[in-house]
């Protein structure tokens, strides 16, 4: 069995969000990387995982029953890349931690060269800490390296860039406000870019089967007109996946 997939999966918690992605595209959203230099970093990104479909169950339980499987070749062309997983005992982690600790004014323009601040957009602890608020209910620290994350970061600009936040505080309101700045940074999708669509049960699978026809009419463009029938055959339900994978 391959340790990687030809598909990068992005999961969400609702059917409505999945439909919005199909209609409007994948939007970079601000996510929190906790406990970097006594700060939390809020970074614009689209997260996917490089996990074979047969091994996706644990990841799906964590991030939602609704998924979209992107063709990896398409994702690479768009700029998705694996993140750097770092042990907090490594030299590189310690260097970046100190850099983040002293960082007060993140760059608000495009990067001129590869440096510590650029790396902060693409690194992640291999194992989470007790400061990861989204995982406080877990008995064990989350082992992020098992997620095999591929990340897309939009072009940095005056309105879309890394933000610094106080360590250990709630960031929901900040993220909701910041997400408005990436609404025009969406990656539009066609049926050829999508290997799989995943919904929760068989009833929703049939519902999505029918709604893809409506989306094709709304799009009124050749990729959707000519290929949406093939996409309909690639709809899976977690209900069946639990039995067959």
């Amino acid at each position: 069995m391959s340790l990687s997939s030809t598909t990068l999966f992005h999961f969400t918690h609702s059917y409505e969000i999945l439909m919005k992605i199909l209609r409007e595209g994948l939007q970079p959203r601000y996510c929190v990387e906790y406990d970097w230099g006594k700060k939390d970093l809020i970074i614009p990104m689209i997260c996917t995982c490089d996990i074979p479909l047969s091994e996706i169950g644990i990841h799906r339980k964590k991030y939602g029953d609704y998924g979209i499987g992107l063709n990896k070749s398409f994702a690479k062309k768009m700029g998705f890349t694996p993140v750097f997983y770092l042990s907090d005992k490594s030299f590189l982690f310690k260097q970046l931690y100190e850099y983040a600790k002293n960082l007060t004014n993140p760059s608000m323009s495009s990067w001129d060269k590869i440096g510590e601040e650029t790396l902060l957009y693409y690194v992640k602890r291999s194992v989470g800490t007790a400061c990861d608020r989204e995982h406080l209910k877990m008995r064990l620290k989350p082992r992020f390296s098992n997620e095999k994350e591929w990340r897309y970061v939009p072009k940095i600009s005056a309105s879309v860039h890394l933000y610094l936040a106080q360590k250990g505080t709630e960031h929901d309101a900040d993220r909701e406000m910041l997400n408005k700045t990436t609404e025009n940074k969406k990656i539009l999708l066609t049926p050829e870019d999508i290997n799989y669509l995943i919904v929760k049960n068989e009833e929703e699978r049939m519902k999505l089967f029918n709604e893809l026809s409506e989306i094709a009419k709304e799009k009124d463009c050749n990729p959707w007109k000519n290929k949406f029938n093939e996409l309909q055959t690639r709809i899976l339900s977690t209900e069946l996946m639990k039995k067959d994978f």
Side-chain angles (χ1 to χ4, degrees), residues 82-103:
V83 301
F84 298 96
Y85 288 106
L86 299 180
S87 162
D88 58 8
K89 304 300 182 184
S90 68
F91 176 76
L92 179 55
F93 176 84
K94 291 176 180 178
Q95 290 290 104
L96 290 173
Y97 189 89
E98 285 300 311
Y99 177 83
K101 181 179 178 180
N102 296 312
L103 182 62

mmCIF file with all atom_site columns, all heavy atoms in Angstrom, residues 82-103:
data_model
loop_
_atom_site.group_PDB
_atom_site.id
_atom_site.type_symbol
_atom_site.label_atom_id
_atom_site.label_alt_id
_atom_site.label_comp_id
_atom_site.label_asym_id
_atom_site.label_entity_id
_atom_site.label_seq_id
_atom_site.pdbx_PDB_ins_code
_atom_site.Cartn_x
_atom_site.Cartn_y
_atom_site.Cartn_z
_atom_site.occupancy
_atom_site.B_iso_or_equiv
_atom_site.pdbx_formal_charge
_atom_site.auth_seq_id
_atom_site.auth_comp_id
_atom_site.auth_asym_id
_atom_site.auth_atom_id
_atom_site.pdbx_PDB_model_num
ATOM 1   N N   . PRO A 1 82  ? 4.092  20.371 1.009  1.00 0.00 ? 82  PRO A N   1
ATOM 2   C CA  . PRO A 1 82  ? 4.135  19.796 2.355  1.00 0.00 ? 82  PRO A CA  1
ATOM 3   C C   . PRO A 1 82  ? 4.717  20.795 3.346  1.00 0.00 ? 82  PRO A C   1
ATOM 4   O O   . PRO A 1 82  ? 5.623  21.569 3.012  1.00 0.00 ? 82  PRO A O   1
ATOM 5   C CB  . PRO A 1 82  ? 5.068  18.582 2.195  1.00 0.00 ? 82  PRO A CB  1
ATOM 6   C CG  . PRO A 1 82  ? 5.071  18.272 0.734  1.00 0.00 ? 82  PRO A CG  1
ATOM 7   C CD  . PRO A 1 82  ? 4.885  19.582 0.036  1.00 0.00 ? 82  PRO A CD  1
ATOM 8   N N   . VAL A 1 83  ? 4.211  20.793 4.564  1.00 0.00 ? 83  VAL A N   1
ATOM 9   C CA  . VAL A 1 83  ? 4.777  21.648 5.608  1.00 0.00 ? 83  VAL A CA  1
ATOM 10  C C   . VAL A 1 83  ? 6.026  20.991 6.177  1.00 0.00 ? 83  VAL A C   1
ATOM 11  O O   . VAL A 1 83  ? 6.279  19.798 5.982  1.00 0.00 ? 83  VAL A O   1
ATOM 12  C CB  . VAL A 1 83  ? 3.767  21.923 6.749  1.00 0.00 ? 83  VAL A CB  1
ATOM 13  C CG1 . VAL A 1 83  ? 2.521  22.606 6.207  1.00 0.00 ? 83  VAL A CG1 1
ATOM 14  C CG2 . VAL A 1 83  ? 3.421  20.638 7.487  1.00 0.00 ? 83  VAL A CG2 1
ATOM 15  N N   . PHE A 1 84  ? 6.823  21.787 6.895  1.00 0.00 ? 84  PHE A N   1
ATOM 16  C CA  . PHE A 1 84  ? 7.994  21.280 7.596  1.00 0.00 ? 84  PHE A CA  1
ATOM 17  C C   . PHE A 1 84  ? 7.584  20.935 9.029  1.00 0.00 ? 84  PHE A C   1
ATOM 18  O O   . PHE A 1 84  ? 7.215  21.830 9.791  1.00 0.00 ? 84  PHE A O   1
ATOM 19  C CB  . PHE A 1 84  ? 9.103  22.331 7.635  1.00 0.00 ? 84  PHE A CB  1
ATOM 20  C CG  . PHE A 1 84  ? 9.620  22.756 6.295  1.00 0.00 ? 84  PHE A CG  1
ATOM 21  C CD1 . PHE A 1 84  ? 9.127  23.891 5.678  1.00 0.00 ? 84  PHE A CD1 1
ATOM 22  C CD2 . PHE A 1 84  ? 10.603 22.018 5.654  1.00 0.00 ? 84  PHE A CD2 1
ATOM 23  C CE1 . PHE A 1 84  ? 9.607  24.295 4.444  1.00 0.00 ? 84  PHE A CE1 1
ATOM 24  C CE2 . PHE A 1 84  ? 11.084 22.416 4.415  1.00 0.00 ? 84  PHE A CE2 1
ATOM 25  C CZ  . PHE A 1 84  ? 10.588 23.548 3.807  1.00 0.00 ? 84  PHE A CZ  1
ATOM 26  N N   . TYR A 1 85  ? 7.645  19.666 9.377  1.00 0.00 ? 85  TYR A N   1
ATOM 27  C CA  . TYR A 1 85  ? 7.361  19.274 10.758 1.00 0.00 ? 85  TYR A CA  1
ATOM 28  C C   . TYR A 1 85  ? 8.658  19.303 11.559 1.00 0.00 ? 85  TYR A C   1
ATOM 29  O O   . TYR A 1 85  ? 9.657  18.696 11.156 1.00 0.00 ? 85  TYR A O   1
ATOM 30  C CB  . TYR A 1 85  ? 6.749  17.872 10.802 1.00 0.00 ? 85  TYR A CB  1
ATOM 31  C CG  . TYR A 1 85  ? 5.334  17.818 10.305 1.00 0.00 ? 85  TYR A CG  1
ATOM 32  C CD1 . TYR A 1 85  ? 5.028  17.274 9.060  1.00 0.00 ? 85  TYR A CD1 1
ATOM 33  C CD2 . TYR A 1 85  ? 4.283  18.321 11.071 1.00 0.00 ? 85  TYR A CD2 1
ATOM 34  C CE1 . TYR A 1 85  ? 3.733  17.227 8.597  1.00 0.00 ? 85  TYR A CE1 1
ATOM 35  C CE2 . TYR A 1 85  ? 2.978  18.279 10.618 1.00 0.00 ? 85  TYR A CE2 1
ATOM 36  C CZ  . TYR A 1 85  ? 2.703  17.735 9.383  1.00 0.00 ? 85  TYR A CZ  1
ATOM 37  O OH  . TYR A 1 85  ? 1.400  17.695 8.923  1.00 0.00 ? 85  TYR A OH  1
ATOM 38  N N   . LEU A 1 86  ? 8.628  20.013 12.684 1.00 0.00 ? 86  LEU A N   1
ATOM 39  C CA  . LEU A 1 86  ? 9.841  20.187 13.481 1.00 0.00 ? 86  LEU A CA  1
ATOM 40  C C   . LEU A 1 86  ? 9.655  19.681 14.906 1.00 0.00 ? 86  LEU A C   1
ATOM 41  O O   . LEU A 1 86  ? 8.620  19.935 15.530 1.00 0.00 ? 86  LEU A O   1
ATOM 42  C CB  . LEU A 1 86  ? 10.225 21.667 13.538 1.00 0.00 ? 86  LEU A CB  1
ATOM 43  C CG  . LEU A 1 86  ? 10.539 22.360 12.210 1.00 0.00 ? 86  LEU A CG  1
ATOM 44  C CD1 . LEU A 1 86  ? 10.891 23.820 12.467 1.00 0.00 ? 86  LEU A CD1 1
ATOM 45  C CD2 . LEU A 1 86  ? 11.674 21.659 11.480 1.00 0.00 ? 86  LEU A CD2 1
ATOM 46  N N   . SER A 1 87  ? 10.658 18.989 15.397 1.00 0.00 ? 87  SER A N   1
ATOM 47  C CA  . SER A 1 87  ? 10.714 18.669 16.822 1.00 0.00 ? 87  SER A CA  1
ATOM 48  C C   . SER A 1 87  ? 11.114 19.930 17.580 1.00 0.00 ? 87  SER A C   1
ATOM 49  O O   . SER A 1 87  ? 11.976 20.696 17.122 1.00 0.00 ? 87  SER A O   1
ATOM 50  C CB  . SER A 1 87  ? 11.749 17.567 17.069 1.00 0.00 ? 87  SER A CB  1
ATOM 51  O OG  . SER A 1 87  ? 12.108 17.523 18.439 1.00 0.00 ? 87  SER A OG  1
ATOM 52  N N   . ASP A 1 88  ? 10.492 20.150 18.745 1.00 0.00 ? 88  ASP A N   1
ATOM 53  C CA  . ASP A 1 88  ? 10.835 21.367 19.496 1.00 0.00 ? 88  ASP A CA  1
ATOM 54  C C   . ASP A 1 88  ? 12.223 21.294 20.131 1.00 0.00 ? 88  ASP A C   1
ATOM 55  O O   . ASP A 1 88  ? 12.665 22.246 20.772 1.00 0.00 ? 88  ASP A O   1
ATOM 56  C CB  . ASP A 1 88  ? 9.765  21.696 20.540 1.00 0.00 ? 88  ASP A CB  1
ATOM 57  C CG  . ASP A 1 88  ? 9.553  20.579 21.536 1.00 0.00 ? 88  ASP A CG  1
ATOM 58  O OD1 . ASP A 1 88  ? 10.324 19.608 21.530 1.00 0.00 ? 88  ASP A OD1 1
ATOM 59  O OD2 . ASP A 1 88  ? 8.593  20.676 22.325 1.00 0.00 ? 88  ASP A OD2 1
ATOM 60  N N   . LYS A 1 89  ? 12.909 20.175 19.943 1.00 0.00 ? 89  LYS A N   1
ATOM 61  C CA  . LYS A 1 89  ? 14.284 20.051 20.424 1.00 0.00 ? 89  LYS A CA  1
ATOM 62  C C   . LYS A 1 89  ? 15.305 20.324 19.316 1.00 0.00 ? 89  LYS A C   1
ATOM 63  O O   . LYS A 1 89  ? 16.513 20.357 19.568 1.00 0.00 ? 89  LYS A O   1
ATOM 64  C CB  . LYS A 1 89  ? 14.533 18.648 20.982 1.00 0.00 ? 89  LYS A CB  1
ATOM 65  C CG  . LYS A 1 89  ? 13.572 18.228 22.088 1.00 0.00 ? 89  LYS A CG  1
ATOM 66  C CD  . LYS A 1 89  ? 13.646 19.154 23.292 1.00 0.00 ? 89  LYS A CD  1
ATOM 67  C CE  . LYS A 1 89  ? 12.707 18.679 24.402 1.00 0.00 ? 89  LYS A CE  1
ATOM 68  N NZ  . LYS A 1 89  ? 12.697 19.622 25.550 1.00 0.00 ? 89  LYS A NZ  1
ATOM 69  N N   . SER A 1 90  ? 14.825 20.502 18.087 1.00 0.00 ? 90  SER A N   1
ATOM 70  C CA  . SER A 1 90  ? 15.731 20.674 16.960 1.00 0.00 ? 90  SER A CA  1
ATOM 71  C C   . SER A 1 90  ? 16.303 22.083 16.914 1.00 0.00 ? 90  SER A C   1
ATOM 72  O O   . SER A 1 90  ? 15.703 23.045 17.405 1.00 0.00 ? 90  SER A O   1
ATOM 73  C CB  . SER A 1 90  ? 15.011 20.371 15.644 1.00 0.00 ? 90  SER A CB  1
ATOM 74  O OG  . SER A 1 90  ? 14.029 21.350 15.373 1.00 0.00 ? 90  SER A OG  1
ATOM 75  N N   . PHE A 1 91  ? 17.474 22.196 16.293 1.00 0.00 ? 91  PHE A N   1
ATOM 76  C CA  . PHE A 1 91  ? 18.132 23.499 16.169 1.00 0.00 ? 91  PHE A CA  1
ATOM 77  C C   . PHE A 1 91  ? 17.270 24.472 15.379 1.00 0.00 ? 91  PHE A C   1
ATOM 78  O O   . PHE A 1 91  ? 17.123 25.639 15.753 1.00 0.00 ? 91  PHE A O   1
ATOM 79  C CB  . PHE A 1 91  ? 19.501 23.328 15.497 1.00 0.00 ? 91  PHE A CB  1
ATOM 80  C CG  . PHE A 1 91  ? 20.210 24.623 15.230 1.00 0.00 ? 91  PHE A CG  1
ATOM 81  C CD1 . PHE A 1 91  ? 20.831 25.321 16.258 1.00 0.00 ? 91  PHE A CD1 1
ATOM 82  C CD2 . PHE A 1 91  ? 20.239 25.159 13.948 1.00 0.00 ? 91  PHE A CD2 1
ATOM 83  C CE1 . PHE A 1 91  ? 21.480 26.526 16.007 1.00 0.00 ? 91  PHE A CE1 1
ATOM 84  C CE2 . PHE A 1 91  ? 20.872 26.361 13.694 1.00 0.00 ? 91  PHE A CE2 1
ATOM 85  C CZ  . PHE A 1 91  ? 21.507 27.049 14.727 1.00 0.00 ? 91  PHE A CZ  1
ATOM 86  N N   . LEU A 1 92  ? 16.687 23.989 14.255 1.00 0.00 ? 92  LEU A N   1
ATOM 87  C CA  . LEU A 1 92  ? 15.887 24.879 13.416 1.00 0.00 ? 92  LEU A CA  1
ATOM 88  C C   . LEU A 1 92  ? 14.677 25.401 14.179 1.00 0.00 ? 92  LEU A C   1
ATOM 89  O O   . LEU A 1 92  ? 14.334 26.590 14.098 1.00 0.00 ? 92  LEU A O   1
ATOM 90  C CB  . LEU A 1 92  ? 15.439 24.150 12.143 1.00 0.00 ? 92  LEU A CB  1
ATOM 91  C CG  . LEU A 1 92  ? 14.567 24.951 11.174 1.00 0.00 ? 92  LEU A CG  1
ATOM 92  C CD1 . LEU A 1 92  ? 15.246 26.250 10.767 1.00 0.00 ? 92  LEU A CD1 1
ATOM 93  C CD2 . LEU A 1 92  ? 14.232 24.115 9.935  1.00 0.00 ? 92  LEU A CD2 1
ATOM 94  N N   . PHE A 1 93  ? 14.011 24.527 14.937 1.00 0.00 ? 93  PHE A N   1
ATOM 95  C CA  . PHE A 1 93  ? 12.865 24.981 15.721 1.00 0.00 ? 93  PHE A CA  1
ATOM 96  C C   . PHE A 1 93  ? 13.279 26.062 16.722 1.00 0.00 ? 93  PHE A C   1
ATOM 97  O O   . PHE A 1 93  ? 12.613 27.096 16.862 1.00 0.00 ? 93  PHE A O   1
ATOM 98  C CB  . PHE A 1 93  ? 12.215 23.822 16.465 1.00 0.00 ? 93  PHE A CB  1
ATOM 99  C CG  . PHE A 1 93  ? 11.088 24.258 17.371 1.00 0.00 ? 93  PHE A CG  1
ATOM 100 C CD1 . PHE A 1 93  ? 9.807  24.431 16.875 1.00 0.00 ? 93  PHE A CD1 1
ATOM 101 C CD2 . PHE A 1 93  ? 11.333 24.556 18.711 1.00 0.00 ? 93  PHE A CD2 1
ATOM 102 C CE1 . PHE A 1 93  ? 8.777  24.874 17.699 1.00 0.00 ? 93  PHE A CE1 1
ATOM 103 C CE2 . PHE A 1 93  ? 10.302 24.995 19.538 1.00 0.00 ? 93  PHE A CE2 1
ATOM 104 C CZ  . PHE A 1 93  ? 9.030  25.156 19.031 1.00 0.00 ? 93  PHE A CZ  1
ATOM 105 N N   . LYS A 1 94  ? 14.381 25.835 17.423 1.00 0.00 ? 94  LYS A N   1
ATOM 106 C CA  . LYS A 1 94  ? 14.831 26.798 18.425 1.00 0.00 ? 94  LYS A CA  1
ATOM 107 C C   . LYS A 1 94  ? 15.156 28.147 17.797 1.00 0.00 ? 94  LYS A C   1
ATOM 108 O O   . LYS A 1 94  ? 14.856 29.195 18.377 1.00 0.00 ? 94  LYS A O   1
ATOM 109 C CB  . LYS A 1 94  ? 16.049 26.241 19.168 1.00 0.00 ? 94  LYS A CB  1
ATOM 110 C CG  . LYS A 1 94  ? 15.706 25.049 20.064 1.00 0.00 ? 94  LYS A CG  1
ATOM 111 C CD  . LYS A 1 94  ? 16.950 24.469 20.715 1.00 0.00 ? 94  LYS A CD  1
ATOM 112 C CE  . LYS A 1 94  ? 16.605 23.276 21.597 1.00 0.00 ? 94  LYS A CE  1
ATOM 113 N NZ  . LYS A 1 94  ? 17.809 22.663 22.203 1.00 0.00 ? 94  LYS A NZ  1
ATOM 114 N N   . GLN A 1 95  ? 15.749 28.119 16.600 1.00 0.00 ? 95  GLN A N   1
ATOM 115 C CA  . GLN A 1 95  ? 16.054 29.369 15.903 1.00 0.00 ? 95  GLN A CA  1
ATOM 116 C C   . GLN A 1 95  ? 14.777 30.111 15.526 1.00 0.00 ? 95  GLN A C   1
ATOM 117 O O   . GLN A 1 95  ? 14.667 31.329 15.710 1.00 0.00 ? 95  GLN A O   1
ATOM 118 C CB  . GLN A 1 95  ? 16.876 29.074 14.645 1.00 0.00 ? 95  GLN A CB  1
ATOM 119 C CG  . GLN A 1 95  ? 18.290 28.609 14.905 1.00 0.00 ? 95  GLN A CG  1
ATOM 120 C CD  . GLN A 1 95  ? 19.161 29.722 15.468 1.00 0.00 ? 95  GLN A CD  1
ATOM 121 O OE1 . GLN A 1 95  ? 19.460 29.746 16.665 1.00 0.00 ? 95  GLN A OE1 1
ATOM 122 N NE2 . GLN A 1 95  ? 19.561 30.642 14.627 1.00 0.00 ? 95  GLN A NE2 1
ATOM 123 N N   . LEU A 1 96  ? 13.809 29.369 14.989 1.00 0.00 ? 96  LEU A N   1
ATOM 124 C CA  . LEU A 1 96  ? 12.554 30.001 14.584 1.00 0.00 ? 96  LEU A CA  1
ATOM 125 C C   . LEU A 1 96  ? 11.758 30.488 15.794 1.00 0.00 ? 96  LEU A C   1
ATOM 126 O O   . LEU A 1 96  ? 11.088 31.527 15.738 1.00 0.00 ? 96  LEU A O   1
ATOM 127 C CB  . LEU A 1 96  ? 11.716 29.030 13.759 1.00 0.00 ? 96  LEU A CB  1
ATOM 128 C CG  . LEU A 1 96  ? 12.251 28.708 12.362 1.00 0.00 ? 96  LEU A CG  1
ATOM 129 C CD1 . LEU A 1 96  ? 11.427 27.619 11.705 1.00 0.00 ? 96  LEU A CD1 1
ATOM 130 C CD2 . LEU A 1 96  ? 12.256 29.967 11.492 1.00 0.00 ? 96  LEU A CD2 1
ATOM 131 N N   . TYR A 1 97  ? 11.816 29.732 16.875 1.00 0.00 ? 97  TYR A N   1
ATOM 132 C CA  . TYR A 1 97  ? 11.126 30.118 18.102 1.00 0.00 ? 97  TYR A CA  1
ATOM 133 C C   . TYR A 1 97  ? 11.660 31.455 18.616 1.00 0.00 ? 97  TYR A C   1
ATOM 134 O O   . TYR A 1 97  ? 10.889 32.345 18.991 1.00 0.00 ? 97  TYR A O   1
ATOM 135 C CB  . TYR A 1 97  ? 11.305 29.023 19.148 1.00 0.00 ? 97  TYR A CB  1
ATOM 136 C CG  . TYR A 1 97  ? 10.455 29.205 20.395 1.00 0.00 ? 97  TYR A CG  1
ATOM 137 C CD1 . TYR A 1 97  ? 9.169  28.676 20.457 1.00 0.00 ? 97  TYR A CD1 1
ATOM 138 C CD2 . TYR A 1 97  ? 10.931 29.903 21.503 1.00 0.00 ? 97  TYR A CD2 1
ATOM 139 C CE1 . TYR A 1 97  ? 8.392  28.820 21.582 1.00 0.00 ? 97  TYR A CE1 1
ATOM 140 C CE2 . TYR A 1 97  ? 10.150 30.059 22.638 1.00 0.00 ? 97  TYR A CE2 1
ATOM 141 C CZ  . TYR A 1 97  ? 8.891  29.512 22.673 1.00 0.00 ? 97  TYR A CZ  1
ATOM 142 O OH  . TYR A 1 97  ? 8.115  29.679 23.797 1.00 0.00 ? 97  TYR A OH  1
ATOM 143 N N   . GLU A 1 98  ? 12.976 31.598 18.608 1.00 0.00 ? 98  GLU A N   1
ATOM 144 C CA  . GLU A 1 98  ? 13.587 32.853 19.050 1.00 0.00 ? 98  GLU A CA  1
ATOM 145 C C   . GLU A 1 98  ? 13.241 33.990 18.109 1.00 0.00 ? 98  GLU A C   1
ATOM 146 O O   . GLU A 1 98  ? 12.998 35.125 18.542 1.00 0.00 ? 98  GLU A O   1
ATOM 147 C CB  . GLU A 1 98  ? 15.104 32.685 19.155 1.00 0.00 ? 98  GLU A CB  1
ATOM 148 C CG  . GLU A 1 98  ? 15.560 31.898 20.367 1.00 0.00 ? 98  GLU A CG  1
ATOM 149 C CD  . GLU A 1 98  ? 15.114 32.561 21.673 1.00 0.00 ? 98  GLU A CD  1
ATOM 150 O OE1 . GLU A 1 98  ? 15.331 33.777 21.834 1.00 0.00 ? 98  GLU A OE1 1
ATOM 151 O OE2 . GLU A 1 98  ? 14.524 31.849 22.513 1.00 0.00 ? 98  GLU A OE2 1
ATOM 152 N N   . TYR A 1 99  ? 13.206 33.690 16.809 1.00 0.00 ? 99  TYR A N   1
ATOM 153 C CA  . TYR A 1 99  ? 12.841 34.726 15.841 1.00 0.00 ? 99  TYR A CA  1
ATOM 154 C C   . TYR A 1 99  ? 11.411 35.197 16.091 1.00 0.00 ? 99  TYR A C   1
ATOM 155 O O   . TYR A 1 99  ? 11.138 36.404 16.134 1.00 0.00 ? 99  TYR A O   1
ATOM 156 C CB  . TYR A 1 99  ? 12.976 34.185 14.415 1.00 0.00 ? 99  TYR A CB  1
ATOM 157 C CG  . TYR A 1 99  ? 12.548 35.184 13.367 1.00 0.00 ? 99  TYR A CG  1
ATOM 158 C CD1 . TYR A 1 99  ? 13.409 36.161 12.913 1.00 0.00 ? 99  TYR A CD1 1
ATOM 159 C CD2 . TYR A 1 99  ? 11.253 35.156 12.840 1.00 0.00 ? 99  TYR A CD2 1
ATOM 160 C CE1 . TYR A 1 99  ? 13.014 37.097 11.967 1.00 0.00 ? 99  TYR A CE1 1
ATOM 161 C CE2 . TYR A 1 99  ? 10.840 36.077 11.892 1.00 0.00 ? 99  TYR A CE2 1
ATOM 162 C CZ  . TYR A 1 99  ? 11.731 37.051 11.461 1.00 0.00 ? 99  TYR A CZ  1
ATOM 163 O OH  . TYR A 1 99  ? 11.313 37.971 10.532 1.00 0.00 ? 99  TYR A OH  1
ATOM 164 N N   . ALA A 1 100 ? 10.482 34.244 16.266 1.00 0.00 ? 100 ALA A N   1
ATOM 165 C CA  . ALA A 1 100 ? 9.082  34.600 16.520 1.00 0.00 ? 100 ALA A CA  1
ATOM 166 C C   . ALA A 1 100 ? 8.947  35.362 17.838 1.00 0.00 ? 100 ALA A C   1
ATOM 167 O O   . ALA A 1 100 ? 8.136  36.292 17.947 1.00 0.00 ? 100 ALA A O   1
ATOM 168 C CB  . ALA A 1 100 ? 8.225  33.338 16.549 1.00 0.00 ? 100 ALA A CB  1
ATOM 169 N N   . LYS A 1 101 ? 9.722  34.981 18.816 1.00 0.00 ? 101 LYS A N   1
ATOM 170 C CA  . LYS A 1 101 ? 9.685  35.634 20.124 1.00 0.00 ? 101 LYS A CA  1
ATOM 171 C C   . LYS A 1 101 ? 9.985  37.119 20.013 1.00 0.00 ? 101 LYS A C   1
ATOM 172 O O   . LYS A 1 101 ? 9.394  37.948 20.717 1.00 0.00 ? 101 LYS A O   1
ATOM 173 C CB  . LYS A 1 101 ? 10.687 34.951 21.052 1.00 0.00 ? 101 LYS A CB  1
ATOM 174 C CG  . LYS A 1 101 ? 10.743 35.503 22.464 1.00 0.00 ? 101 LYS A CG  1
ATOM 175 C CD  . LYS A 1 101 ? 11.749 34.716 23.288 1.00 0.00 ? 101 LYS A CD  1
ATOM 176 C CE  . LYS A 1 101 ? 11.860 35.280 24.709 1.00 0.00 ? 101 LYS A CE  1
ATOM 177 N NZ  . LYS A 1 101 ? 12.838 34.499 25.505 1.00 0.00 ? 101 LYS A NZ  1
ATOM 178 N N   . ASN A 1 102 ? 10.906 37.475 19.113 1.00 0.00 ? 102 ASN A N   1
ATOM 179 C CA  . ASN A 1 102 ? 11.335 38.867 18.964 1.00 0.00 ? 102 ASN A CA  1
ATOM 180 C C   . ASN A 1 102 ? 10.616 39.607 17.849 1.00 0.00 ? 102 ASN A C   1
ATOM 181 O O   . ASN A 1 102 ? 10.822 40.804 17.665 1.00 0.00 ? 102 ASN A O   1
ATOM 182 C CB  . ASN A 1 102 ? 12.849 38.911 18.713 1.00 0.00 ? 102 ASN A CB  1
ATOM 183 C CG  . ASN A 1 102 ? 13.644 38.379 19.886 1.00 0.00 ? 102 ASN A CG  1
ATOM 184 O OD1 . ASN A 1 102 ? 13.401 38.757 21.027 1.00 0.00 ? 102 ASN A OD1 1
ATOM 185 N ND2 . ASN A 1 102 ? 14.598 37.493 19.620 1.00 0.00 ? 102 ASN A ND2 1
ATOM 186 N N   . LEU A 1 103 ? 9.772  38.894 17.097 1.00 0.00 ? 103 LEU A N   1
ATOM 187 C CA  . LEU A 1 103 ? 9.072  39.520 15.977 1.00 0.00 ? 103 LEU A CA  1
ATOM 188 C C   . LEU A 1 103 ? 7.954  40.419 16.491 1.00 0.00 ? 103 LEU A C   1
ATOM 189 O O   . LEU A 1 103 ? 7.117  40.006 17.286 1.00 0.00 ? 103 LEU A O   1
ATOM 190 C CB  . LEU A 1 103 ? 8.489  38.438 15.065 1.00 0.00 ? 103 LEU A CB  1
ATOM 191 C CG  . LEU A 1 103 ? 7.762  38.897 13.802 1.00 0.00 ? 103 LEU A CG  1
ATOM 192 C CD1 . LEU A 1 103 ? 8.714  39.643 12.873 1.00 0.00 ? 103 LEU A CD1 1
ATOM 193 C CD2 . LEU A 1 103 ? 7.149  37.702 13.083 1.00 0.00 ? 103 LEU A CD2 1
#
